[in-house]
Amino acid sequence: MTERFPSTGAKAAATTAGQDDRPPPPRFAYDRHTWKEIAHLLANLPLSLLGFTYVMTVLFTSFWLTVTVIGFPLLAAGLMGARQLGKLERARARALLGVRVDEPSRLPLRGSGGFLAQVWMSLKDPVGWRAVLYEFIRLPWGVLTFTIMLTSLFVLWPVLPFIARGLANADRAMVRGLLSPSDELERRIAELESDRGVVVDTAAADLRRIERDLHDGAQARLVALAMGLGLAKEKVLEDPDAAAAMVEEAHGEVKLALQELRDLARGIHPAVLTDRGLDAALSSVASRCTVPVKVTADLPARPAAAIEGIAYFTVSELLQNVSKHSRARSASVDVWRSADRLLIQVWDDGRGGASLEGGTGMKGLADRLGAVDGLFVLESPEGGPTTVTAELPWRDRTDASDAGTDSRQAGSH
């Protein structure tokens, strides 16, 4: 058995925030980064005037009108406008300071249940309130940075890059502190919105594949079968021998059509997975691989049907890659549970060189696992061996929906 990777439990970031967008050190000779910082600091004054005026006129006016009926809707609309000002400031910081701050997710106003619920959701929006605070404190800062930059351009120009860097770093800190997504929950929402798109695209691609396989395979074969039986019916009296030969050929076509339908059903959800679980299903997949595969499954119980299906199709696609591309002489599949995670490791001694880049099948697998809060790690140096470790959240097979799903799937087979 190959060495198992420890469970990480979550996606690890490659770099910390702020390291990716760190500009080069300032120099006495002005470079493009210095000029961008100077432009940003000089633009602080007019833009801070705009933001401060908006906050004072729109938000404070609506705040004092909260004693009437229209005050709260106006305050909610003002907070939505403050969100747009925050978006403008994030774009300016990204273009001139190189600060990469994730955009906060939109408020789900359409599904919030009515006008009053939408107003209340906007009023308690932390992103909007922090954007208001940002615009409120920017006016004195904008006056200070504009004055220092304008003076330094004429008086302190030899050390201007260092002055600009110090002031720009303060701007970077304010943008990250006040205009970033509100908390871990906010970032999680944005991640789930992205993952939802991956799930939808994957489901659409699978439906197109099933439709194509039915149209080009079993359907075309059944049409030819119907035509052959029609010709045999016409010849049954005139030429019984020819009709018998045509019926025999049609019988062979029926067997091929049934085999294609079984293969298609196995691609949707194999009966062995429903009836006997992941261990038996993976052994069945391994038996069809062109490379000898050793399967080891150490599972105290069966996971939820959805997790079991994802694990099965992940291993199935990985073993197909082993058969087609690896030139391996042996391979192994290990499946085990660690705490609340289901871990899968597929190893082969092939030529290696597999990559997640370039829109490969490996990239698609990584996207699919990421969409269900999973993890996909690929190690494939040139010359081999290749080790793929996949991690899925473990959910117990205890709810009634799993049993209902299994019974429907078993009935369909």
Side-chain angles (χ1 to χ4, degrees):
M1 183 184 299
T2 57
E3 182 181 359
R4 295 178 175 178
F5 280 72
S7 172
T8 60
K11 300 178 181 177
T15 56
T16 57
Q19 291 179 342
D20 296 334
D21 48 19
R22 183 177 298 168
R27 299 179 298 173
F28 285 103
Y30 298 1
D31 57 12
R32 62 186 181 89
H33 296 285
T34 298
W35 286 114
K36 284 184 176 181
E37 290 172 343
I38 293 172
H40 179 88
L41 295 169
L42 290 175
N44 275 348
L45 179 58
L47 291 177
S48 62
L49 280 172
L50 174 65
F52 187 82
T53 302
Y54 176 84
V55 168
M56 293 299 294
T57 57
V58 177
L59 292 182
F60 274 64
T61 301
S62 59
F63 178 78
W64 287 111
L65 287 176
T66 52
V67 296
T68 66
V69 178
I70 63 173
F72 289 104
L74 285 177
L75 183 58
L79 289 171
M80 295 297 293
R83 262 182 167 254
Q84 299 306 311
L85 289 177
K87 183 178 181 180
L88 173 64
E89 287 295 329
R90 281 189 296 272
R92 185 167 73 100
R94 186 163 50 247
L96 297 178
L97 299 181
V99 177
R100 297 175 181 87
V101 176
D102 294 336
E103 291 292 330
S105 59
R106 297 180 179 180
L107 291 176
L109 297 178
R110 292 186 177 180
S112 57
F115 177 73
L116 293 179
Q118 293 176 2
V119 171
W120 175 243
M121 183 176 296
S122 299
L123 290 176
K124 63 179 184 178
D125 176 27
V127 176
W129 284 111
R130 284 190 290 108
V132 168
L133 177 60
Y134 179 86
E135 298 296 344
F136 186 76
I137 66 176
R138 290 289 290 181
L139 181 58
W141 177 252
V143 173
L144 177 64
T145 56
F146 182 84
T147 304
I148 293 177
M149 280 296 101
L150 194 61
T151 304
S152 300
L153 280 171
F154 296 99
V155 179
L156 301 174
W157 57 267
V159 293
L160 180 58
F162 300 92
I163 298 174
R165 176 58 51 83
L167 296 175
N169 283 340
D171 261 326
R172 291 184 176 96
M174 279 190 279
V175 170
R176 291 192 184 105
L178 294 176
L179 298 182
S180 60
S182 58
D183 51 18
E184 184 63 30
L185 177 61
E186 180 72 25
R187 288 189 292 272
R188 181 61 176 157
I189 291 173
E191 181 182 346
L192 290 175
E193 287 177 347
S194 175
D195 290 344
R196 181 178 59 186
V198 174
V199 172
V200 172
D201 292 342
T202 300
D206 288 340
L207 287 175
R208 289 193 298 269
R209 176 184 59 81
I210 294 170
E211 181 182 9
R212 182 180 64 251
D213 292 344
L214 283 173
H215 183 271
D216 297 340
Q219 180 179 340
R221 195 174 296 278
L222 290 174
V223 170
L225 172 64
M227 294 176 62
L229 288 176
L231 293 174
K233 181 180 179 182
E234 295 177 357
K235 291 182 176 292
V236 69
L237 297 178
E238 300 175 2
D239 191 351
D241 294 336
M246 297 177 70
V247 170
E248 182 66 24
E249 182 181 353
H251 185 253
E253 291 290 325
V254 168
K255 291 182 178 179
L256 292 176
L258 287 175
Q259 183 60 42
E260 289 183 356
L261 289 173
R262 289 192 190 100
D263 292 340
L264 182 61
R266 186 183 296 114
I268 298 173
H269 194 91
V272 65
L273 179 62
T274 301
D275 298 336
R276 300 174 56 191
L278 196 57
D279 189 0
L282 294 183
S283 298
S284 176
V285 172
S287 67
R288 298 193 297 271
C289 184
T290 59
V291 176
V293 181
K294 178 183 178 182
V295 177
T296 303
D298 182 14
L299 298 177
R302 293 181 64 177
I307 300 301
E308 197 174 55
I310 294 171
Y312 170 82
F313 287 110
T314 298
V315 173
S316 178
E317 292 195 35
L318 289 174
L319 290 183
Q320 287 182 21
N321 287 337
V322 171
S323 297
K324 295 177 181 178
H325 309 297
S326 70
R327 299 180 184 175
R329 290 172 296 179
S330 63
S332 66
V333 176
D334 293 308
V335 183
W336 71 99
R337 178 181 178 179
S338 176
D340 60 346
R341 310 292 286 183
L342 174 65
L343 285 92
I344 304 165
Q345 188 176 88
V346 178
W347 173 91
D348 69 77
D349 60 357
R351 60 180 179 176
S355 172
L356 295 177
E357 304 300 327
T360 61
M362 294 287 190
K363 181 65 167 61
L365 280 177
D367 290 341
R368 293 186 186 187
L369 265 68
V372 293
D373 199 22
L375 186 65
F376 188 89
V377 179
L378 170 65
E379 292 186 4
S380 183
E382 290 293 340
T386 296
T387 303
V388 177
T389 303
E391 185 176 325
L392 290 166
W394 179 277
R395 293 207 305 269
D396 290 328
R397 197 183 188 89
T398 56
D399 55 335
S401 60
D402 278 343
T405 301
D406 284 349
S407 63
R408 289 192 298 271
Q409 291 167 345
S412 66
H413 294 291

